[in-house]
């Protein structure tokens, strides 16, 4: 199943985010076969304020475990994180569902 993981940073997290980014990228690279879309959420000034990960997981519990394994949690970057089932309707400008 597709799952969207939406994480919002703590207001003072930028330095911790940058320090943990190498571990975060290793975590993402290990999961690459299951990833659909990944990237930072930006504020009005273009600064990172969170992230979104759309990934294929066997179920919501597996997705929650995957999300909690993000090194940004250990680095105390995230204030909140939600995990939602996701249904893709358009991909690359074409309707798929």
């Amino acid at each position: 199943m597709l799952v969207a993981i939406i994480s919002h940073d703590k207001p003072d997290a930028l330095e911790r985010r940058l320090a943990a980014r190498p571990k975060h990228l290793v975590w993402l690279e290990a999961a690459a076969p299951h990833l659909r879309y990944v990237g930072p959420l930006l504020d009005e000034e273009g600064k990172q304020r969170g992230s979104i990960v759309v990934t294929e997981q066997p179920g919501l519990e597996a997705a929650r475990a995957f999300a909690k394994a993000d090194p940004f949690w250990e680095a105390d970057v995230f204030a909140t994180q939600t995990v939602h089932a996701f249904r893709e309707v358009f991909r690359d400008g074409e309707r798929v569902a």
Side-chain angles (χ1 to χ4, degrees):
M1 77 182 304
L2 283 179
V3 178
I5 302 166
I6 303 167
S7 307
H8 293 276
D9 292 1
K10 292 181 175 182
D12 63 347
L14 183 58
E15 286 184 30
R16 293 189 304 278
R17 174 182 269 280
L18 294 175
R21 190 169 187 267
K23 285 183 180 180
H24 173 75
L25 292 175
V26 167
W27 173 74
L28 287 173
E29 288 170 5
H34 305 284
L35 300 177
R36 287 282 186 95
Y37 312 100
V38 177
L41 298 173
L42 306 176
D43 67 13
E44 294 80 13
E45 298 172 356
K47 295 178 185 173
Q48 292 181 351
R49 58 179 291 232
S51 60
I52 186 166
V53 175
V54 178
T55 178
E56 291 184 54
Q57 296 291 322
L60 283 175
E61 288 307 313
R64 288 184 185 108
F66 172 75
K68 289 297 180 192
D70 188 329
F72 284 156
W73 273 115
E74 182 180 335
D76 197 32
V77 171
F78 296 143
T80 63
Q81 186 177 69
T82 56
V83 177
H84 304 276
F86 179 81
R87 185 179 55 176
E88 188 175 46
V89 177
F90 277 82
R91 182 184 327 127
D92 299 325
E94 301 211 14
R95 189 169 178 168
V96 295

